[in-house]
Amino acid sequence: MIAEILCVGTELLLGDIVNTNAQYLARRLSELGVFVYHQTVIGDNSERLKNAYKLAFSRSDLVITTGGLGPTKDDITKEIAFEYFGKEAVLHKESLDRIEGYFKKLGRAMSESNKKQAYFPEDAIILPNNNGTAPGCIINEKEKILVTLPGPPKEMKPMFEESVVPYLSKYQDGILVSKVLRVIGVGESEAADMLSDIIDNQTNPTVAPYAKDGEVTFRITAKAHSKEEAYELIKPVEKDIRNILGNKVYGEGEVSLEEVVAEMLVRNNLTIATAESCTGGMIASSLINYSGVSSSFLEGAVTYSNDAKIRRLGVNKSTLENYGAVSSETAEEMVSGITKTSGADIGIATTGIAGPNGGTEEKPVGLVYVGLSIKGEIIIKKLNLSGNRQKIRERATKTALDLLRRELLKRGIV
């Protein structure tokens, strides 16, 4: 089955509201084995909406709309749909009773305009709204299916799960199941080249790379009759990908790098302290996002000025004068200082030029040094990063966390 998602609302076109409904529906439909080939956003305009319906049904079996089911005159999604199908709407008494009951629970009188929400063709399947006033509906006409859903996500999602999923299940000839592997330390094109044999010869499952925020994800998707069967198809492909990429794969699903690293520290009873200059506390903040990290994270120091590096971390004044604040020598003394003064098993330090100013030919914007100390052993990593100030800081933070993760793995700490 081929579907199109049609989201209605001028506020979406103006960017006043982020269209999370399309994202949610696309993901859920793929899980149900329904292929979404198009997504459309239309303002509250009757002519454009009519044309959108014509186009959508010319190329799709199923059209799901969100928005435009309210009581005002510009809420026209249902009305234009009924017109498209040549159907006359009549008052649906049960829906009206539910709407009146909704307002009664709130202790408010129902507006006369809300009656508009209770009109549907007699042969429509009504989708009750247990979280608002606007019911949805399903019309199945000449092998074309229309589903109208309310716009607010808190109403749309429950209605889809409670009423639409059971309806669509009878059209399923299989389901799609995906597993996501999260990769860091390699770019999208390089990672795709490494997996070219798998990607070029894919059938079922399929493998698709996506780059985002300094990392790459590989989505492995299998079509099968059950989840169990799909996961069996995914297993050998996942194994091949992990064998090729090795420890570049840091996790799966929705897990973040900071969660993986913090969990390793907590699980192995390792303590950590941070000393940050260019990253300004981002490493500490990332680790603290993990609930339970208090048993491992001892302290974090933002030593932005040279004076702070000398006073808090014990960096030698001569080191700063001879090599500069952005140098491997300074990074080494920073990480040594924070580890020693905190008594932590592990220390991380960063110093660099985030820009947009301050760079030179010798030390350009994006030059960052990461210092890592693990039980007395010090590792220094030099980075040459690109992007704006925020991107450089974010990438330095991720690289520092990934350096720690890899060094722990080298030592058999998982």
Side-chain angles (χ1 to χ4, degrees), residues 303 305-317 320:
T303 52
S305 68
N306 284 354
D307 178 65
K309 292 177 178 67
I310 295 168
R311 178 171 35 81
R312 173 64 183 84
L313 304 174
V315 174
N316 289 310
K317 187 177 181 181
L320 294 166

Side-chain angles (χ1 to χ4, degrees), residues 41-75:
V41 178
I42 295 292
D44 303 304
N45 179 280
S46 58
E47 285 304 313
R48 288 194 285 272
L49 189 53
K50 285 177 188 176
N51 291 332
Y53 277 127
K54 289 177 185 176
L55 179 59
F57 279 115
S58 72
R59 60 193 183 188
S60 304
D61 310 303
L62 166 68
V63 175
I64 299 182
T65 72
T66 68
L69 303 186
T72 61
K73 290 182 179 180
D74 64 344
D75 291 311

Side-chain angles (χ1 to χ4, degrees), residues 346-360:
I346 297 167
I348 296 182
T350 59
T351 181
I353 305 169
N357 304 313
T360 65

